[in-house]
Amino acid sequence: MDCIFCDIIEGRSEAEILFQNQNIISFLDIRPINYGHTLVITKKHYENFQSVPLDELHHLMKGLQFISSVVVKSVKADGFNLIVNSGKAAGQTIFHFHFHIIPRYNNDFRFKPDFKSYTQQSMKEYADIIRSELNKQKDSFL
Ligand code: 5GP
Ligand code: ZN
């Protein structure tokens, strides 16, 4: 399988590795939004958020809490964004699941999505569509 992140894990491609343990590895993003922009990934290849088993997510979240606080302190950031792009439409370009830790500074820049607005009626309609799907699927969750 052709995966640049697996290549980094296996040592076939270079990266500025910051941290690794048995389950996760973390390295600098090659195209940082701010300096210190860090990726945290599972060592096993999972394509996207939906396909990562819960125990792997647990390891990842534990690593994220630790690494994000260390990154923020190291680059003297005022805050950080945790981002997951899931699917091409959402901007995912590498299909090996990962979190972005993006250090942020007061007034550095704004993410500017084109916010929409609901009417009272359409907000209820969207909620009904999602609630109805949740109701259909909830037995597989509980
Ligand atoms: P995505 O767009 O899939 O959420 O994020 C993929 C990220 O991986 C991008 O921010 C991109 O800059 C980073 N990236 C892609 N190729 C490489 C690489 O070879 N090395 C490193 N360190 N980062 C990479
Ligand atoms: Zn991979």
Side-chain angles (χ1 to χ4, degrees), residues 1-15:
M1 183 202 344
D2 200 18
C3 172
I4 182 66
F5 287 179
C6 283
D7 286 347
I8 289 171
I9 291 163
E10 302 295 335
R12 292 188 293 268
S13 282
E14 283 194 12

Side-chain angles (χ1 to χ4, degrees), residues 23-24 42 44 46 52-61:
N23 306 296
I24 63 164
T42 53
K44 287 193 195 138
Y46 301 103
V52 187
L54 278 181
D55 60 330
E56 292 273 17
L57 274 180
H58 175 80
H59 295 307
L60 206 53
M61 295 312 284

Side-chain angles (χ1 to χ4, degrees), residues 4-5 27-31 39 85 91-94 98 100:
I4 182 66
F5 287 179
F27 50 91
L28 287 181
D29 193 300
I30 206 166
R31 281 187 68 216
L39 301 173
N85 298 320
Q92 186 174 10
T93 56
I94 305 290
H98 54 280
H100 296 253

Side-chain angles (χ1 to χ4, degrees), residues 26-129:
S26 174
F27 50 91
L28 287 181
D29 193 300
I30 206 166
R31 281 187 68 216
I33 293 178
N34 268 337
Y35 296 116
H37 180 162
T38 294
L39 301 173
V40 185
I41 75 179
T42 53
K43 282 198 166 169
K44 287 193 195 138
H45 181 100
Y46 301 103
E47 196 165 304
N48 54 31
F49 180 61
Q50 272 69 19
S51 54
V52 187
L54 278 181
D55 60 330
E56 292 273 17
L57 274 180
H58 175 80
H59 295 307
L60 206 53
M61 295 312 284
K62 198 170 168 203
L64 271 173
Q65 267 194 331
F66 171 57
I67 296 160
S68 58
S69 61
V70 172
V71 168
V72 162
K73 184 174 181 204
S74 308
V75 300
K76 300 186 172 51
D78 300 311
F80 64 97
N81 292 111
L82 277 187
I83 292 183
V84 171
N85 298 320
S86 200
K88 200 170 161 211
Q92 186 174 10
T93 56
I94 305 290
F95 289 83
H96 180 135
F97 180 68
H98 54 280
F99 272 92
H100 296 253
I101 301 170
I102 302 169
R104 297 299 305 274
Y105 299 88
N106 295 326
N107 306 315
D108 55 355
F109 62 86
R110 288 180 59 206
F111 286 116
K112 282 189 188 160
D114 185 11
F115 288 108
K116 297 180 167 45
S117 54
Y118 287 116
T119 61
Q120 221 176 356
Q121 163 108 1
S122 70
M123 193 165 182
K124 185 175 178 315
E125 280 167 9
Y126 273 96
D128 283 343
I129 290 168

